[in-house]
Amino acid sequence: MLDLKTQYMRIKLEIDSAIENVIQSFEFVNGSHVDKFSKGLADFLKVKHVIPCGNGTDALQIAIMALQLFPGDEVIVPAYTYVATVEVISLLGLKPVFVDVDEHTFTLDIEDLKKKITPKTKLVIPVHLFGQCADMEKIRSIAQEFGFKIIEDTAQAIGAEYYFSNDSHSKAGTIGDFGTTSFFPSKNLACFGDGGALFTNDDTLAERAKMIANHGQKQKYHHEIVGCNSRLDSIQAAILSVKLKYLNDYTKARQWGAGFYDELLNNLSGVRLPIRASYSSHVFNQYTITIDDMVGVNKESFRDHLRRELRKLGVPSMVYYPRPLHLQEAYFSSDFPKNSLPVSEYLSKSVLSIPIHTEMSRESMITITKAFYVAFETSLSAFQKKLHYSQ
Ligand SMILES: *Cc1c(COP(=O)(O)O)cnc(C)c1O
């Protein structure tokens, strides 16, 4: 799904010397390497404050803590996302209120958001899933009208651009009260381990978030609020400073790959290719197709079959995500029974992500798509045979 090795080999000298510098400086925690990266990322995003932390899940948790919600407060969150987005809400004693997603963009459904608002709604967490923004202008105006806050989960969309109706634009993660991201190796800006950050333009929120990430202290051994310990390692920060220089190129490489897939897979009936929302660029953390409904065919077993055929031909694929969060045991609630979030449930049975990364070549993409056509045909005829015999 990824080619981190080729990416590393291209910048090996720079990365190795950055790591060597950290070792020579013996500044392993905090200090100049982390400051330099935070400043670089803030410039890139055009945001006032970047607060580095241990991972993308911590970034969400610290952002929510900084907003000072109370137990029982409601947080609206898509049911179709990675578990981290919801996990932190429950961990902090808040109530996740699941909202459905748009079937084309896979991001938060605005009409369903309006239906889920109650007097207890204090926060919404739109997720810029697979590399494309949720419709932030609409979400922000609803949040302003009803007086709740916004944290943008930007773990999959660092570098994406949101276009406002007045022709201005902002980087994903800098529009709400907080943006959060992850530098996990599979993300678009990735380190060699765990890492994360949160960003905000609000001075007061930034100061609180910084304190929270550092045991609730500004001054050593003066703990004003309850915090946690969440830091970005200096070695990871130094690696990220190098990779940040290439982020625009990496994004272009992913977009080029996605465009080429679009061309090559265009003639395959039975699958829907990812669409680009008019209000956002797409940085393609994932290239995710949707398999259409086929009469009499159990789509999940068809998809499993297709994945097995692909694997036989040497092509990996992944299902992000096979089960929406309201149907996960840890997050069951009578408020969100089966069929209550139909698009999330539909997508979890229909989606398939195929390899996309910064090192895609014409040849590899032609090989992958050829294999895809073959695997799709083979699976289709296997299922048609099954249908035939069962009739
Ligand atoms: C990866 C990811 C996270 C969590 O990031 P970690 O660094 O793994 O903790 C949160 N939200 C989304 C949407 C993600 O993809």
Side-chain angles (χ1 to χ4, degrees):
M1 294 295 288
L2 282 168
D3 186 0
L4 294 174
K5 183 164 183 195
T6 308
Q7 191 195 61
Y8 166 61
M9 292 314 288
R10 287 180 197 280
I11 52 171
K12 184 177 187 307
L13 287 178
E14 272 184 284
I15 295 270
D16 291 1
S17 100
I19 294 173
E20 180 70 26
N21 279 341
V22 176
I23 295 172
Q24 296 292 345
S25 73
F26 287 92
E27 268 183 2
F28 295 122
V29 172
N30 295 330
S32 62
H33 309 288
V34 179
D35 291 345
K36 180 182 163 207
F37 169 63
S38 304
K39 170 108 189 20
L41 186 59
D43 289 345
F44 176 84
L45 294 171
K46 300 193 179 65
V47 72
K48 252 171 116 175
H49 305 279
V50 165
I51 299 117
C53 65
N55 56 64
T57 311
D58 280 2
L60 284 160
Q61 181 179 329
I62 294 162
I64 299 176
M65 287 170 79
L67 291 173
Q68 295 178 279
L69 307 195
F70 294 101
D73 281 348
E74 294 179 0
V75 181
I76 298 181
V77 63
Y80 184 67
T81 175
Y82 183 54
V83 65
T85 326
V86 174
E87 190 173 51
V88 289
I89 299 169
S90 299
L91 260 179
L92 294 172
L94 306 166
K95 186 181 170 208
V97 172
F98 291 112
V99 65
D100 216 347
V101 292
D102 178 272
E103 69 170 310
H104 301 291
T105 62
F106 310 137
T107 62
L108 190 149
D109 181 309
I110 303 290
E111 292 311 310
D112 200 34
L113 166 65
K114 290 180 190 161
K115 290 184 201 144
K116 299 287 164 69
I117 298 168
T118 78
K120 285 189 169 167
T121 306
K122 294 292 152 57
L123 172 66
V124 61
I125 309 185
V127 180
H128 303 319
L129 204 70
F130 303 150
Q132 180 164 245
C133 293
D135 196 347
M136 289 308 298
E137 186 164 359
K138 292 203 183 113
I139 294 168
R140 196 165 68 176
S141 87
I142 296 166
Q144 276 161 357
E145 182 184 342
F146 291 91
F148 53 81
K149 304 283 187 204
I150 303 172
I151 297 173
E152 303 172 63
D153 184 342
T154 318
Q156 299 183 9
I158 196 87
E161 201 81 54
Y162 184 89
Y163 306 109
F164 290 91
S165 51
N166 69 359
D167 281 346
S168 66
H169 52 92
S170 297
K171 284 275 192 311
T174 66
I175 303 162
D177 297 277
F178 273 114
T180 64
T181 202
S182 162
F183 307 122
F184 185 78
S186 66
K187 313 291 184 183
N188 287 29
L189 177 61
C191 60
F192 290 3
D194 276 309
L198 50 162
F199 2 106
T200 182
N201 283 307
D202 184 306
D203 299 342
T204 317
L205 287 179
E207 185 169 318
R208 267 195 97 72
K210 242 177 246 168
M211 284 170 68
I212 290 166
N214 184 26
H215 298 294
Q217 65 192 345
K218 253 183 290 189
Q219 199 188 333
K220 213 165 169 58
Y221 305 122
H222 289 255
H223 306 281
E224 294 172 46
I225 51 180
V226 176
C228 59
N229 173 27
S230 187
R231 298 185 281 237
L232 179 67
D233 284 344
S234 302
I235 285 186
Q236 303 301 351
I239 292 165
L240 287 164
S241 282
V242 174
K243 289 223 201 169
L244 181 60
K245 292 192 290 181
Y246 300 102
L247 181 56
N248 283 333
D249 294 337
Y250 290 160
T251 298
K252 281 189 201 127
R254 287 173 179 274
Q255 289 167 335
W256 173 82
F260 199 40
Y261 269 147
D262 285 353
E263 261 176 58
L264 294 169
L265 291 171
N266 199 15
N267 295 320
L268 190 63
S269 71
V271 303
R272 189 146 49 81
L273 305 181
I275 72 129
R276 279 69 157 167
S278 56
Y279 56 73
S280 172
S281 69
H282 199 321
V283 297
F284 286 99
N285 181 245
Q286 297 299 337
Y287 187 90
T288 303
I289 61 165
T290 318
I291 298 164
D292 288 339
D293 284 329
M294 286 169 274
V295 186
V297 172
N298 177 313
K299 222 168 20 170
E300 279 173 287
S301 25
F302 177 81
R303 185 175 61 185
D304 287 346
H305 196 281
L306 173 60
R307 292 190 65 199
R308 272 198 303 277
E309 292 298 324
L310 279 169
R311 203 174 311 137
K312 278 191 219 160
L313 298 167
V315 174
S317 63
M318 291 293 281
V319 174
Y320 304 113
Y321 298 93
R323 196 185 279 198
L325 293 166
H326 68 293
L327 302 181
Q328 296 279 358
E329 204 176 332
Y331 303 101
F332 280 157
S333 144
S334 56
D335 296 344
F336 305 98
K338 209 165 168 28
N339 300 325
S340 62
L341 295 149
V343 179
S344 300
E345 292 172 39
Y346 172 85
L347 288 177
S348 63
K349 296 188 181 95
S350 317
V351 289
L352 189 66
S353 301
I354 55 176
I356 186 97
H357 50 73
T358 59
E359 313 301 321
M360 309 294 298
S361 69
R362 275 189 87 82
E363 305 75 67
S364 70
M365 295 193 69
I366 290 168
T367 310
I368 290 170
T369 43
K370 271 191 185 150
F372 196 90
Y373 276 90
V374 172
F376 201 82
E377 283 306 317
T378 316
S379 306
L380 216 50
S381 56
F383 272 70
Q384 273 155 0
K385 239 180 245 155
K386 258 191 224 161
L387 267 181
H388 180 76
Y389 288 127
S390 67
Q391 272 162 5

